[in-house]
Amino acid sequence: MKYYLKTYGCQMNVHDSEKIAGIFTESGYGQAEDMKDADVIVINTCSIRQKAEQKVYSELGRLKSAKKNNPHLKIAVAGCIAQQKGNTLFKKFPYVDFLFGPGNIDSLQKWIPVPSGTGQACKTHITALHNNPEYHTKTLPIKREGQVKAWVSIMYGCDNFCAYCVVPYTRGRERSRPSKDICNEIQNLAEQGYKEITLLGQNVNSYGKYLSESIDFPDLLKVIHDVTGIERIRFVTSHPRDLSQKLIETLRDLPSLCEHIHLPVQSGSDKILSLMNRGYTYKQYLEKIEMLRSMIPGIAITSDIIVGFPGETDEDFQHTMNALQEIEFDGIFAFKYSQRPDTAALSLPVHIDESVKSQRLSMVLNIQEQLTYKKNKALEGKILEVLVEGPSETDSDKLTGRTRSNKIVNFYAENKSSNRSNRSSSSSSLIGRLIQLKILEAKQHSLLGEVV
Ligand code: SAH
Ligand code: SF4
Ligand code: F3S
């Protein structure tokens, strides 16, 4: 029996798919390269913006003929759209068999047919959308994508209710995993040879809330840091309001914590930040940036921006442009505001024209493109530590890896004069290793380096 799995959305969803794949693998399934070879298809969905939702609906529309061609095929929809739309999805896509939310991926274990035929055949129109209160204490099997870097969930859900955001409705209230479970998982990863871990949560800085043990995020980092074999630790995402001086000191003091933080600012206007319910002013955000930069020299800071939030005037938008110029992020993700069901921003009075949003988005992207390039350019000639991940996607003669500041560096494993077979054997021996590279050239989205 084979499963086919397609994933939309954020890192958390990609990692959830590793858990879904883990459950299939444990149940004796193989992975189908092609959808038409599959006995079970799972679409793991994202609902963050309207566009993401539309993409999933087109995909689900295409599955109708797959089911027609193979009536035994079973189709499951997972993730944030399944959670939010629930049973109404069966009306729109009657050939879908099973819906399960991000808060009870373990329910898949009971639903999938067991290859030996001893298990029950999976039933149709079944839902597992309640938020399983035990979910955060479960250890699920995980089939990981890579062998060098791994994701580790430390918390689920979000309590922040930013006015634009659907996540608190799809992923539920914040729940932290017990620190012992997290450390066991990381210990196992270290024993398997993983070198880098990224701790995942919608708001990692509030780790520990509601846990019976007395621990906060910096404390957790200290415990994890003691697991030997893990060379690099990263985490996403941090909420600016909850970024404490204690966390910055921890970042400074623990050598395996990488010098990079993703700290979404969303807007440079205090009026908009308040309407967004973000819980900080631009000045407070800037103070945190200054503290980060003064205590951790060379730290890379990336961010998220939303343009065209309801009520955003030209002047508000100008504050965002000024913020980008003042802060000089290493990189950003920028989005046009998108109306999401259930969210508070829906009822705000002044929604912005699509054409204005598009214009603002391209202004943001333009200015950031120059700033990112400037940041990359400043690294030319520097010698940086890179964790080698594998062959470069764009040029198979090169290897690729990331700096501690999370910048992509492509490089030749050997000088070009050595013959091809020598090169490829020395290439594979570098994978998973930390090496020193000299940065030769800055590109827009990556760096070109050479082995020192
Ligand atoms: N938990 C993280 C990430 C949430 S989703 C955080 O709090 O930062 C990632 C990004 O998507 C957000 O930072 C925000 O910039 C963007 N986003 C979320 N909802 C959106 C919406 N309705 N329209 C446009 N962008 C949105
Ligand atoms: Fe959404 Fe805000 Fe929670 Fe991030 S912190 S997931 S933007 S509600
Ligand atoms: Fe999308 Fe859900 Fe992640 S809405 S961005 S998959 S938390």
Side-chain angles (χ1 to χ4, degrees), residues 10 12 47-50 158 160 162-167 201-203 236-240 262-266 278 303-307 333-340 343:
C10 63
M12 252 141 289
S47 166
I48 197 81
R49 283 168 290 274
Q50 216 163 2
C158 182
N160 284 318
C162 300
Y164 48 81
C165 186
V166 84
V167 174
Q202 292 295 354
N203 181 14
V236 278
T237 299
S238 298
H239 193 296
H262 186 66
L263 198 64
V265 62
Q266 313 295 4
R278 287 291 287 177
S303 202
D304 293 344
I305 299 285
I306 295 177
V307 298
F333 297 106
F335 312 98
K336 289 191 271 187
Y337 166 74
S338 168
Q339 295 187 350
R340 304 316 291 137
T343 58

Side-chain angles (χ1 to χ4, degrees), residues 8-13 45-48 80 166-167 170-171 202:
Y8 295 85
C10 63
Q11 288 153 313
M12 252 141 289
N13 235 29
T45 63
C46 171
S47 166
I48 197 81
C80 290
V166 84
V167 174
T170 61
R171 300 220 166 220
Q202 292 295 354

Side-chain angles (χ1 to χ4, degrees), residues 89-343:
L89 281 178
F90 289 135
K91 290 207 183 81
K92 213 166 165 177
F93 307 101
Y95 42 90
V96 167
D97 299 288
F98 180 45
L99 302 175
F100 62 109
N104 45 18
I105 293 173
D106 52 317
S107 63
L108 182 63
Q109 281 166 322
K110 291 195 205 103
W111 177 75
I112 50 172
V114 181
S116 67
T118 51
Q120 57 182 27
C122 48
K123 297 182 198 125
T124 58
H125 287 202
I126 297 283
T127 51
L129 298 171
H130 62 283
N131 250 321
N132 178 351
E134 308 275 284
Y135 185 70
H136 63 292
T137 61
K138 296 221 162 195
T139 302
L140 293 180
I142 301 177
K143 182 172 182 274
R144 295 183 191 271
E145 290 288 327
Q147 282 160 357
V148 178
K149 305 196 297 186
W151 282 311
V152 176
S153 305
I154 64 164
M155 59 171 314
Y156 303 111
C158 182
D159 286 353
N160 284 318
F161 291 93
C162 300
Y164 48 81
C165 186
V166 84
V167 174
Y169 305 95
T170 61
R171 300 220 166 220
R173 298 288 62 71
E174 277 180 23
R175 290 143 290 154
S176 295
R177 285 180 75 195
S179 64
K180 210 166 121 262
D181 293 353
I182 297 170
C183 287
N184 285 344
E185 185 173 331
I186 294 171
Q187 187 72 55
N188 278 332
L189 289 167
E191 283 160 15
Q192 290 167 50
Y194 284 91
K195 294 289 181 286
E196 178 177 309
I197 54 158
T198 301
L199 308 174
L200 287 181
Q202 292 295 354
N203 181 14
V204 289
N205 300 2
S206 68
Y207 174 81
K209 203 162 100 179
Y210 312 130
L211 262 184
S212 54
E213 51 185 317
S214 161
I215 185 168
D216 63 9
F217 185 52
D219 299 336
L220 177 74
L221 289 172
K222 283 182 198 121
V223 184
I224 292 173
H225 191 267
D226 292 337
V227 177
T228 51
I230 296 298
E231 314 256 11
R232 288 180 169 188
I233 305 169
R234 304 184 185 279
F235 52 85
V236 278
T237 299
S238 298
H239 193 296
R241 185 201 52 221
D242 298 331
L243 176 70
S244 62
Q245 181 162 345
K246 180 176 173 190
L247 177 59
I248 300 176
E249 285 164 1
T250 309
L251 258 172
R252 177 194 62 193
D253 296 339
L254 300 180
S256 45
L257 276 171
C258 288
E259 294 80 15
H260 169 228
I261 191 163
H262 186 66
L263 198 64
V265 62
Q266 313 295 4
S267 169
S269 149
D270 286 344
K271 178 189 102 191
I272 297 297
L273 286 171
S274 160
L275 287 173
M276 284 178 166
N277 190 29
R278 287 291 287 177
Y280 53 85
T281 62
Y282 175 63
K283 185 163 170 278
Q284 287 167 330
Y285 181 88
L286 201 57
E287 281 163 9
K288 304 233 165 155
I289 296 288
E290 280 160 4
M291 205 194 313
L292 279 162
R293 285 186 168 151
S294 70
M295 287 169 66
I296 308 162
I299 189 168
I301 304 174
T302 53
S303 202
D304 293 344
I305 299 285
I306 295 177
V307 298
F309 186 80
E312 187 187 71
T313 61
D314 284 339
E315 195 191 337
D316 295 317
F317 174 67
Q318 196 51 50
H319 285 306
T320 298
M321 291 293 280
N322 295 347
L324 292 174
Q325 226 140 11
E326 183 169 22
I327 296 171
E328 300 195 343
F329 291 113
D330 290 76
I332 59 163
F333 297 106
F335 312 98
K336 289 191 271 187
Y337 166 74
S338 168
Q339 295 187 350
R340 304 316 291 137
D342 301 331
T343 58

